[in-house]
Amino acid sequence: SISLTHGGEVVAIRNHLNSRPVAYEVLEIIREYYVSELRFAARIMVCKQIEILIITAYLWVNEGLSERNNIILLQIHMLSKLTNLSYYLFADFNMTFEHFCESEWCNYLDVEAIHPQMESTTTLSSNRVIDFFLVSRKLKANYNYTTPIRSVPWGPHYASIYNFFGKPLNVKGKVLC
């Protein structure tokens, strides 16, 4: 049978790191508001007295900034507002880095788009960056650098390791202690 498979979203955080799930009630509010299944995975990571949302998403293929992809981004925005947390969003945007950056989404979400420092993030093209991450502007100072990984056991996508400073004092904005 023909089905519209979407892909997989998962946030996996090592056991020794302090994290917790997003409250089910928050996720239900988002699902009901947009009358749509959630197309992201999220977990709250606790670093000292700072909590940060770690989010992964997979936008629909060949749709650019379609209504369905806009709803995914709106769901993530609502999650950030309901939890009052800044976030890192790692995603297969299925549109080029440049196309996304030319839209108003970075301003609306109050994020910076971080390029993965490789010419392509997929083996299907030599110059197509569609996998990248967004960081809340309040957390931008904690981003350090990106290391591309071109040898992975899956395909057609490559991988990236994003490195961050472990200095919570770099976080700007309200911090609840």
Side-chain angles (χ1 to χ4, degrees):
S1 71
I2 299 173
S3 66
L4 296 174
T5 59
H6 191 264
E9 300 92 4
V10 66
V11 174
I13 296 180
R14 308 255 330 223
N15 286 349
H16 70 281
L17 298 173
N18 190 1
S19 72
R20 62 182 168 83
V22 174
Y24 178 80
E25 296 79 16
V26 169
L27 299 176
E28 274 303 301
I29 289 169
I30 298 168
R31 187 184 346 257
E32 289 174 10
Y33 184 84
Y34 288 104
V35 192
S36 176
E37 291 301 312
L38 300 179
R39 296 295 184 177
F40 64 85
R43 192 148 177 95
I44 299 170
M45 189 164 181
V46 182
C47 305
K48 306 272 180 184
Q49 292 99 4
I50 297 170
E51 293 184 336
I52 301 167
L53 279 168
I54 308 295
I55 307 168
T56 61
Y58 182 89
L59 276 63
W60 294 94
V61 179
N62 296 324
E63 292 192 18
L65 291 169
S66 67
E67 181 179 352
R68 292 194 303 179
N69 283 338
N70 284 335
I71 286 175
I72 295 169
L73 296 169
L74 288 168
Q75 288 175 335
I76 291 166
H77 181 257
M78 188 175 200
L79 173 65
S80 175
K81 294 301 179 189
L82 289 174
T83 59
N84 197 28
L85 295 175
S86 296
Y87 60 92
Y88 296 111
L89 166 60
F90 303 90
D92 178 349
F93 286 88
N94 275 311
M95 71 187 85
T96 64
F97 180 82
E98 294 77 16
H99 180 77
F100 185 84
C101 291
E102 289 168 1
S103 75
E104 286 299 312
W105 276 108
C106 286
N107 289 330
Y108 183 76
L109 298 171
D110 195 24
V111 297
E112 297 286 333
I114 305 296
H115 195 281
Q117 303 305 309
M118 59 177 94
E119 290 184 26
S120 183
T121 56
T122 173
T123 60
L124 302 176
S125 172
S126 62
N127 62 350
R128 186 166 163 81
V129 173
I130 61 174
D131 302 299
F132 48 94
F133 93 95
L134 305 180
V135 57
S136 295
R137 289 191 173 113
K138 293 176 183 176
L139 298 174
K140 174 74 166 68
N142 283 13
Y143 168 71
N144 194 4
Y145 63 90
T146 303
T147 304
I149 302 174
R150 290 179 181 84
S151 177
V152 292
W154 60 80
H157 296 270
Y158 297 126
S160 295
I161 296 176
Y162 296 98
N163 295 278
F164 302 91
F165 289 110
K167 296 182 180 178
L169 294 178
N170 284 345
V171 177
K172 300 191 179 1
K174 249 190 239 182
V175 178
L176 303 175
C177 299

